[in-house]
Amino acid sequence: MIDANTKIAIVGGGIGGLVAGIALQKAGFNPVIYERAPEFGEVGAGISISPNATLGLESLGFTDYLNANANEPLEQRLYHGETGELLKTFDRRDCRETYKAAYCQLHRADLLNMLIDAFGRSNCAMNHGLADVYSRVDGVILTFEDGSTAEADIVIAADGLRSVIRDSLFDSEPPEFSGHVAWRALVPAEKLGPKSVERLNINHLGTGRNIVSYPVRGTELVNIVALTKAEDWAEESWNAKAEKSELAAHYEGWTDYVMELLEAIPGDALYRWGLFIRKPLENWVSGRTALLGDAAHPMLPYMGQGASCAIEDGVILGRAFAVAETPGQALKIYAESRIERASLLQSESNLGGDRLQAIDPYAFRDTPIKNEDALGIFAYDPATVPLIK
């Protein structure tokens, strides 16, 4: 078995990096997370965790937390954006029976803070933005933006879409703007009507755009995510403050419910970010380094699988290190067990935007939809799926 004293460095303290860290701890290791931010702060957005990822979190001991803190939507509803007509309903009441786990909606910051506490804040090296990485036969050297360095036997790159490690060690083309823009905000539920806090995931559709809402923190807040198109993305920041008037211009003439959502957004609470994509990689391992989460497989949010896929990665990584004889074998098991699955999620998610936004909304009422159920996405259990050795 692998020596428990093997030095494992995880670059990136997002959901994927933290889940990987916790899974490695469960396997008997003591990884360190290096995070660019000076401290973990409030992340102002909701997050959906589908049953495949819920199973992964539950395998790490978080069943009670999810039962106490997550909203479980009874239905996902698709409405015509302009007329308000109900087009299609997906019943989520049977998720626990069908997939053995719930479909969960949470505040992203709540989930992140729970994972940080479980991993241990003292195990995180904050304010460590990675500048470069050097791979050697016997390990890896990390150089940080402040000039400091760290050595590791194994490095897990969970440093996101613009991964320094991916760009340094892998033959990879840079991110490309997808033509899609996301807008997000959290609204106090008291500013909205009762429909906004029902146990639903509500999606209003129109050609070239849609807008989703669902409650988080019980009925305290309503998460809003709007998705539109743009010719290009000129902002230096991928994530920027936005004016409500900019967003409202995309939804002029839409149903009253959508207008109420937009009006209720606090003046300083709206963000927008350009959605970028990268081509799938055939290999996630370079020497003693492996990619995880968005560093490996960034995907558009149209199937809600970005965070769920990263959770799957982290659980499988921990399982691989628990059964492998050497660190190199562990990385090989991890990558080979994940690439086919993650590539499917990545490709289907990236196609999902055009499927969702390119056709007349009435088509969703009249024709079958190639969604998560049809693709079998929810049926995957990262805690029990056979590893490829």
Side-chain angles (χ1 to χ4, degrees):
M1 304 301 286
I2 303 173
D3 186 345
N5 293 317
T6 298
K7 293 182 180 179
I8 303 175
I10 300 171
V11 179
I15 289 172
L18 286 162
V19 169
I22 294 165
L24 287 166
Q25 288 176 336
K26 298 285 186 183
F29 299 92
N30 295 295
V32 175
I33 288 179
Y34 294 92
E35 166 57 36
R36 178 182 300 277
E39 60 184 15
F40 290 109
E42 184 84 354
V43 183
I47 187 170
S48 296
I49 302 295
S50 51
N52 44 301
T54 301
L55 288 167
L57 292 175
E58 290 182 344
S59 75
L60 299 178
F62 301 127
T63 302
D64 290 344
Y65 173 85
L66 294 173
N67 288 340
N69 293 278
N71 287 341
E72 297 181 31
L74 301 177
E75 294 176 345
Q76 290 180 288
R77 295 181 182 175
L78 304 185
Y79 291 89
H80 192 292
E82 295 183 6
T83 69
E85 295 170 83
L86 180 62
L87 302 174
K88 191 175 289 287
T89 297
F90 297 101
D91 194 335
R92 297 300 180 208
R93 292 172 180 82
D94 63 349
C95 274
R96 286 182 179 269
E97 180 178 352
T98 303
Y99 304 112
K100 311 305 179 188
Y103 190 106
C104 298
Q105 298 175 160
L106 304 100
H107 194 302
R108 183 180 289 266
D110 296 344
L111 177 61
L112 193 65
N113 282 320
M114 182 274 293
L115 294 172
I116 295 164
D117 290 338
F119 179 72
R121 293 175 187 267
S122 62
N123 298 317
C124 299
M126 308 304 295
N127 206 21
H128 276 67
L130 188 67
D132 210 343
V133 58
Y134 303 93
S135 184
R136 305 185 308 190
V137 174
D138 59 345
V140 184
I141 297 177
L142 302 172
T143 301
F144 300 100
E145 292 171 348
D146 63 0
S148 64
T149 62
E151 295 186 17
D153 299 311
I154 293 292
V155 170
I156 305 301
D159 52 341
L161 168 77
R162 301 186 185 278
S163 169
V164 172
I165 295 174
R166 174 168 173 159
D167 290 341
S168 178
L169 299 183
F170 293 80
D171 183 15
S172 178
E173 297 180 13
E176 298 178 359
F177 180 57
S178 67
H180 298 263
V181 175
W183 313 66
R184 62 176 170 83
L186 286 168
V187 174
E190 62 189 22
K191 300 179 68 174
L192 295 165
K195 180 179 178 180
S196 67
V197 293
E198 292 182 27
R199 291 176 58 187
L200 302 171
N201 180 293
I202 298 173
N203 193 349
H204 283 78
L205 307 172
T207 302
R209 58 210 187 279
N210 67 293
I211 185 167
V212 178
S213 70
Y214 57 83
V216 295
R217 287 184 181 165
T219 58
E220 179 184 341
L221 297 169
V222 175
N223 184 58
I224 300 172
V225 180
L227 296 155
T228 62
K229 290 190 174 182
E231 292 292 325
D232 54 28
W233 184 259
E235 306 221 23
E236 287 188 18
S237 172
W238 66 275
N239 183 356
K241 287 269 192 177
E243 297 292 333
K244 289 201 305 182
S245 59
E246 297 177 76
L247 179 58
H250 290 281
Y251 297 95
E252 185 176 354
W254 278 41
T255 185
D256 289 345
Y257 179 78
V258 173
M259 295 297 100
E260 291 168 7
L261 290 177
L262 299 180
E263 180 60 31
I265 297 173
D268 62 346
L270 180 63
Y271 293 83
R272 67 175 178 179
W273 71 102
L275 299 177
F276 285 74
I277 55 176
R278 304 187 84 151
K279 294 180 180 178
L281 291 172
E282 295 182 358
N283 179 37
W284 296 355
V285 177
S286 175
R288 289 172 171 257
T289 299
L291 304 176
L292 183 145
D294 281 353
H297 47 69
M299 60 189 71
L300 300 183
Y302 292 99
M303 287 190 144
Q305 288 299 309
S308 292
C309 193
I311 291 169
E312 293 178 0
D313 288 350
V315 172
I316 295 291
L317 180 73
R319 291 179 60 201
F321 270 83
V323 302
E325 296 294 329
T326 67
Q329 183 189 33
L331 295 183
K332 183 175 184 290
I333 291 171
Y334 156 69
E336 292 190 1
S337 298
R338 288 296 301 152
I339 285 179
E340 182 178 355
R341 161 75 174 181
S343 295
L344 168 67
L345 296 179
Q346 185 180 14
S347 61
E348 291 296 336
S349 295
N350 291 349
L351 290 170
D354 291 333
R355 290 195 191 114
L356 189 65
Q357 295 186 349
I359 62 176
D360 186 283
Y362 286 118
F364 289 95
R365 181 187 61 190
D366 303 328
T367 61
I369 295 177
K370 190 178 182 182
N371 73 334
E372 298 90 343
D373 298 315
L375 292 166
I377 291 173
F378 291 173
Y380 181 93
D381 182 354
T384 62
V385 66
L387 299 177
I388 299 176
K389 298 182 181 179

